[in-house]
Amino acid sequence: EVQLVESGGGLVQPGRSLRLSCTASGFIFGDYAMSWVRQAPGKGLEWVGFIRSKGYGGTTGYAASVKGRFTISRDDSKSIAYLQMNSLKTEDTAVYYCTKYNRNDGWAFDIWGQGTMVTVSS
Amino acid sequence: QSALTQPASVSGSPGQSITISCTGTSSDVGAYDFVSWYQQHPGKAPKLMIYDVSNRPSGISNRFSGSKSGNTASLTISGLQAEDEADYYCSSYTSSDTGVFGTGTKVTVL
């Protein structure tokens, strides 16, 4: 079964850091680009950023709202994608979803994790 | 990058057809055929319904169809069913090599 499982969420104070992990199974992780999408309580979906597969350069891209604070990386040997979040703000409070792209030269998220909640509050 | 514009809500009776619009710009929806649509039920993760403007993933009912004209993409649900009641989001690739979602549409089955 193709599956993504996020972990690492929790309560963190403004200005602190948190790292989320996304463990993949059921597919060849290294062959696909991965992305993070978030959803603030009662709000819509917001694309956070992505990382391409090594075969497509392993490049990353970020939404303007997180650029310079968030970093996405991947460990293909462990089938894990990471989202390092620094200088967290209260507006970063959201459920964070890990997603898989349906193909490297496309832009659609065909597999989603269950999400992990991040609460930024003092 | 501003969110793509969707109507806040759309409703229809069982068996009817409804269409949800998704309006972007010449830098996103109008520039690429990389528009996708997602269905989200309360408390659940989103689910891919349409990719590349009009393609359905395996297992998605043919009652769901997508199209695009200029800077506006559309999702049509035919033969509306109670289980279709959910939030729907469009998404597009952008010329900045980033992504963007729509504002979301709540579909109500009357």
Side-chain angles (χ1 to χ4, degrees):
Chain A
E1 179 191 7
V2 177
Q3 194 174 8
L4 299 173
V5 177
E6 302 94 338
S7 59
L11 175 63
V12 61
Q13 294 179 326
R16 303 298 290 265
S17 298
L18 198 65
R19 188 179 79 162
L20 305 183
S21 299
C22 169
T23 302
S25 59
F27 65 99
I28 302 174
F29 179 77
D31 284 353
Y32 292 92
M34 302 294 292
S35 182
W36 290 90
V37 175
R38 69 184 180 183
Q39 187 169 35
K43 302 298 184 182
L45 301 175
E46 179 184 14
W47 181 82
V48 172
F50 77 107
I51 184 167
R52 289 189 167 95
S53 66
K54 297 262 189 324
Y56 278 73
T59 52
T60 55
Y62 302 94
S65 58
V66 306
K67 195 169 186 178
R69 300 188 299 122
F70 289 13
T71 302
I72 298 174
S73 59
R74 62 190 302 156
D75 184 337
D76 292 348
S77 67
K78 297 181 179 178
S79 296
I80 299 178
Y82 299 100
L83 177 64
Q84 177 67 44
M85 303 184 292
N86 298 332
S87 303
L88 281 161
K89 305 176 181 180
T90 55
E91 53 262 44
D92 294 320
T93 293
V95 173
Y96 283 75
Y97 294 101
C98 173
T99 74
K100 166 189 167 292
Y101 283 84
N102 64 336
R103 64 178 197 276
N104 278 293
D105 61 348
W107 197 272
F109 316 114
D110 62 348
I111 304 297
W112 295 64
Q114 84 288 353
T116 187
M117 183 70 201
V118 172
T119 302
V120 184
S121 174
S122 54
Chain B
Q1 182 69 46
S2 298
L4 307 174
T5 301
Q6 299 180 229
S9 63
V10 173
S11 62
S13 300
Q16 286 187 329
S17 293
I18 61 170
T19 297
I20 303 169
S21 62
C22 168
T23 301
T25 70
S26 57
S27 296
D28 39 62
V29 174
Y32 308 96
D33 285 338
F34 289 144
V35 175
S36 50
W37 289 89
Y38 302 86
Q39 176 192 66
Q40 186 180 34
H41 287 108
K44 301 293 187 181
K47 177 181 180 182
L48 177 65
M49 305 302 285
I50 295 287
Y51 68 95
D52 295 353
V53 175
S54 59
N55 293 291
R56 281 187 309 276
S58 175
I60 300 302
S61 170
N62 59 10
R63 297 186 300 105
F64 292 86
S65 61
S67 63
K68 190 185 86 167
S69 178
N71 296 339
T72 299
S74 299
L75 173 71
T76 298
I77 308 175
S78 305
L80 199 62
Q81 299 180 0
E83 67 209 47
D84 300 331
E85 187 161 292
D87 293 327
Y88 291 81
Y89 296 91
C90 60
S91 180
S92 176
Y93 177 68
T94 83
S95 59
S96 301
D97 197 26
T98 60
V100 62
F101 279 96
T103 50
T105 298
K106 181 177 181 60
V107 169
T108 301
V109 181
L110 301 172

